[in-house]
């Protein structure tokens, strides 16, 4: 037994897995929770609300903190409780009534055993980036289609555009069809790339954060689009322009598809 462990250790070291192994070992001690049908819903809601909460606090403080005005895309707008609460309620309702039954059906097919080894750090980074690029392309096509076909827009996508000035909790204010479409893209991509379960969790965290930031209404010096060079990433002002003008900036994150299709519009030259 000890000789087997000692022979496996160099393999882990050479593959770069030891960097993530302690984290993965810690998560595997909670395997029963991770494998339960409740985990996807709990994980999704807590991550989403956790990312939204700082922006909600900023929105509450905004009228009394003039310094925030320089970072607000719409300085004269601050969401009211009458706008915030329905968005939060919609998210909770859809996850409980629609998402949970789907995860329950998936759980009923039988548990998927978690691998004992963590993924390699570089492999995880590559897979997260590839998943984001695939999601960006899929959502771009879906998004353009739902704006160009009036029936699709009225029936499925119009709900998300009810708030022309974005705020964090409006990120998931969408129809059930739209919610499941985005979830379907997520799951297809991680399955296609055969991502490690830890990579799947990291990708979902990154994806939720980017979507919340894009709808937050705040453009800070440390916002993601300012950290990505050459204008490859659109960011919050880029996506906010889509909400106000409807006919541009259809990609959720990156800018290359809008450049190719001629639908890119700069938020700083509007």
């Amino acid at each position: 037994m000890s000789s087997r462990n000692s022979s496996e250790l160099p393999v882990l070291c050479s593959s770069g897995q030891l960097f993530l192994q302690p984290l993965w070992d810690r998560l595997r001690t909670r395997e029963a929770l991770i494998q339960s049908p409740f985990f996807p819903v709990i994980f999704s809601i807590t991550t989403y609300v956790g990312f939204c909460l700082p922006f909600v606090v900023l929105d509450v403080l905004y009228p009394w903190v003039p310094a925030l005005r320089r970072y607000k895309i719409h300085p004269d707008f601050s969401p009211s409780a009458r706008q915030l609460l329905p968005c939060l309620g919609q998210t909770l309702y859809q996850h409980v009534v629609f998402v949970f039954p789907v995860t329950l059906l998936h759980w009923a097919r039988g548990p998927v055993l978690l691998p004992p080894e963590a993924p390699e750090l570089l492999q995880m980074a590559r897979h997260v980036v590839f998943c984001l690029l695939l999601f960006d392309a899929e959502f771009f096509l879906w998004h353009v289609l739902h704006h160009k076909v009036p029936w699709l827009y009225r029936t499925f996508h119009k709900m998300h555009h009810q708030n022309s000035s974005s705020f964090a909790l409006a990120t998931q204010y969408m129809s059930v069809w739209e919610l499941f479409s985005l979830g379907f893209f997520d799951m297809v991509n991680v399955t296609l790339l055969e991502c490690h379960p830890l990579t799947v969790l990291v990708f979902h965290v990154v994806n939720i954060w980017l979507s919340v930031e894009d709808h937050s209404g705040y453009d800070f010096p440390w916002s993601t689009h300012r950290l990505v060079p050459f204008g490859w990433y659109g960011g919050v002002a880029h996506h906010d322009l889509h909400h106000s003008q409807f006919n541009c900036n259809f990609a959720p994150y990156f800018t290359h598809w809008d450049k190719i299709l001629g639908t890119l519009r700069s938020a700083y030259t509007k």
Side-chain angles (χ1 to χ4, degrees):
M1 185 74 176
S2 59
S3 61
R4 180 184 176 185
N5 289 339
S6 61
S7 64
E8 288 178 350
L9 189 58
V11 175
L12 290 173
C13 291
S14 62
S15 65
Q17 292 171 321
L18 278 183
F19 186 83
L20 295 172
Q21 195 65 44
L23 172 62
W24 182 236
D25 288 340
R26 188 175 182 86
L27 288 174
R28 286 183 64 233
T29 62
R30 302 180 181 275
E31 186 168 358
L33 172 63
I34 294 174
Q35 297 281 39
S36 77
F38 302 100
F39 179 75
V41 175
I42 295 172
F43 174 82
S44 178
I45 290 178
T46 54
T47 304
Y48 174 67
V49 174
F51 285 150
C52 287
L53 193 56
F55 295 111
V56 173
V57 172
L58 290 178
D59 286 333
V60 172
L61 295 177
Y62 178 73
W64 293 277
V65 184
L68 288 174
R69 189 176 181 86
R70 62 187 297 190
Y71 304 116
K72 200 86 160 65
I73 295 176
H74 299 285
D76 298 324
F77 170 75
S78 185
S80 64
R82 190 171 291 184
Q83 291 172 296
L84 293 169
L85 293 177
C87 291
L88 178 60
Q90 178 78 358
T91 297
L92 298 176
Y93 170 78
Q94 289 185 341
H95 276 77
V96 172
V97 175
F98 297 106
V99 176
F100 177 67
V102 172
T103 61
L104 193 62
L105 288 173
H106 186 267
W107 172 82
R109 294 171 54 191
V112 178
L113 297 178
L114 299 179
E117 300 87 5
E120 295 183 359
L121 182 60
L122 290 179
Q123 181 192 52
M124 184 176 75
R126 284 195 303 268
H127 279 173
V128 169
V129 171
F130 288 159
C131 282
L132 286 173
L133 289 170
L134 284 171
F135 178 84
D136 193 73
E138 293 155 351
F139 183 76
F140 175 81
L141 179 61
W142 184 99
H143 202 185
V144 169
L145 204 60
H146 281 69
H147 273 267
K148 299 300 182 183
V149 180
W151 179 81
L152 289 176
Y153 179 81
R154 290 194 309 270
T155 308
F156 301 116
H157 190 51
K158 184 178 179 180
M159 182 179 187
H160 184 63
H161 278 277
Q162 287 185 7
N163 298 289
S164 57
S165 297
S166 295
F167 51 94
L169 279 174
T171 305
Q172 291 188 7
Y173 192 66
M174 59 183 65
S175 67
V176 175
W177 165 253
E178 185 164 354
L179 181 69
F180 275 117
S181 296
L182 303 189
F184 175 76
F185 296 151
D186 279 357
M187 296 315 299
V188 164
N189 296 339
V190 298
T191 302
L192 182 66
L193 294 174
E194 298 182 345
C195 294
H196 188 281
L198 181 59
T199 304
V200 175
L201 291 178
V202 172
F203 164 62
H204 286 155
V205 168
V206 172
N207 203 19
I208 292 171
W209 163 251
L210 293 179
S211 62
V212 168
E213 185 189 47
D214 268 6
H215 291 84
S216 67
Y218 291 90
D219 188 358
F220 292 111
W222 55 84
S223 294
T224 304
H225 72 98
R226 298 185 183 277
L227 306 178
V228 179
F230 310 119
W232 289 337
Y233 187 87
V236 57
H238 171 92
H239 190 70
D240 184 84
L241 194 60
H242 168 75
H243 274 264
S244 61
Q245 299 191 9
F246 299 100
N247 61 350
C248 62
N249 301 350
F250 293 104
Y253 305 139
F254 303 101
T255 57
H256 55 278
W257 289 113
D258 281 300
K259 285 180 182 177
I260 293 171
L261 269 291
T263 53
L264 181 66
R265 189 167 302 169
S266 173
Y268 301 101
T269 58
K270 61 182 179 180

